[in-house]
Amino acid sequence: MNRIRSLALPLAATLAAGGLTALAAGPAQAADVNVVRNGGFESGLANWSCSNGSGASVSSPVYAGAGALKATPAGSDNARCSQTVTVKPNSTYTLSTQVQGSYVYLGATGTGAQDASTWTPGSGGGWQKLSTTFTTGPNTTQVTVYTHGWYGQPAYTVDEFSVFGPDGGGPTDPGPGLPGAPAGAAVSGQSQNGLTLSWNAVSGAAGYHVYQDGVRVQTVANTSTPVTGLAPGTSYSFQVSAYNAAGEGPKSAPVTGTTTGGGGPNPNPSVPKHALTGYWQNFNNGATVQKISDVSAQYDIIAVSFADATTTPGAITFNLDSAGLGGYTVDRFKADVAAKKAAGKSVILSIGGEKGTISVNDSASATNLANSAWALMQEYGFNGIDIDLENGLNPTYMTQALRALSAKAGPSMVLTMAPQTIDMQSTQGGYFKTALAVKDILTVVNMQYYNSGAMNGCDGKVYSQGSVDFLTALACIQLEGGLDPSQVGIGVPASPSGAGSGYVSPTVVNNALDCLARGTGCGSFKPSKTYPSLRGAMTWSTNWDAKAGSTWSNAVGPKVHGLP
């Protein structure tokens, strides 16, 4: 969130403005071949050329086989490794590879038509697939395909590089067939928050995708995996598919598993099925100065912004800006919080913001955060907390802190998060990992769809902020990445003054909500299914909303509360 936040991700915005595209790759046709040679790097760097000696053949990590390419950017060199392949004119090719690292690029040049490229911000946490397509011109018989990293970033790793399309007559790598469906799927190791899934190996598989209730949640190399972050006493359906360089094979027959426990009180009893969240400013920056009692009744969750850091690592406090808020006293503030709670609303304390300096990087600071947050919840009557750390977080110790706080506060604690768009691009990111790790106690993730550059949607295409497509295609990443639809909300500014960029009209927000929940009102991107239990929407801030005559809450609030 911000007080106002500065523009985020200038790199991504610049790249998108320069024409960077990411296209969803279709399946290769039966007659297609892989025109790349040594795409699995089993023969070292044969057939490949890397700038300034930046590339090396490695045996670990590898995605499949015994070799992979590792290239290291240095100075002004971005570690570009390329190969010229023989192609057929007027033909379409699918270019793909598996990568590890930050800001890894994949592309083709000299196509005789429009060159193609795509990239991933990555996080160094695991293999990710990059894929795009290109079409050759009428006289094109050779195309240069490449991968490279980014200046100042660490080494990146590439494996299973392929260019599938019509045979151009040059040397090619043989293309494998799709693997079959895994058999023998079974569930074991039941616990309150986890299950273990296993299956039989599939011949020719490079790895396996795990689906939970129809949503892909893991990609693994082995034939068993723990599935964590589940709710107690709940049944889940799982399927597994195998994949290799040719693509993903069919899914296994579904198998069901049920966690132990359950039967306790419902979490977050004060939060309705569909909720509107608003951040309340504990400072005066030109927006309407409000008391908690002034906040519109449309808001179901009011996030008090912000907690303050202390000299103790991880610990927080709260200092009401009485002078800046026109003499708002602590006693009146506490009474207003109690009145909102009596009216069925939740009032929580937000931790972070643009200027937030809270850091939780070890067990001691995690304990300090949990203890201090619980003390503030008791003192002021807060229902819970919001995590809005804009300088990254450590998923291991933040998870420890949140679970310790939940153990103190009980199942009625409200827990929300407000990550930036870059934080939710991949399940390997710290924010996404944390959200999945605390899924059983998490109320909602209201990602900030503003102050952002262009970003990848769940279909691999790049979308610019300020449109229905930006909201829906990015929400889809969370919805298909493991969060329950009830844990996903759309965060936007209440007015153009609320953020540096990314404001959209309430009509655009409502169209996005309808698109995700009902399948109507979509732009060019339409999800493959609907998410009727979508939690709702969030805005920065209730104060900027009031400054604009409550236009945002009066339009979006009824839409949220009227979702199916």
Side-chain angles (χ1 to χ4, degrees), residues 16 453-455 462-467 469-470:
M455 286 287 158
V462 174
Y463 294 94
S464 298
Q465 66 180 2
S467 67
D469 288 336
F470 187 75

Side-chain angles (χ1 to χ4, degrees), residues 21-26 118-119 129-133 425 455-464 469-470 472-478 480 523-528 531:
T21 59
L23 303 176
T118 186
W119 66 292
K129 185 176 183 178
L130 281 179
S131 184
T132 188
T133 62
Q425 284 277 285
M455 286 287 158
N456 287 329
C458 67
D459 58 354
K461 295 183 180 180
V462 174
Y463 294 94
S464 298
D469 288 336
F470 187 75
T472 55
L474 268 67
C476 175
I477 296 176
Q478 300 169 63
E480 295 298 318
S524 62
F525 171 80
K526 186 172 183 178
S528 59
Y531 308 91

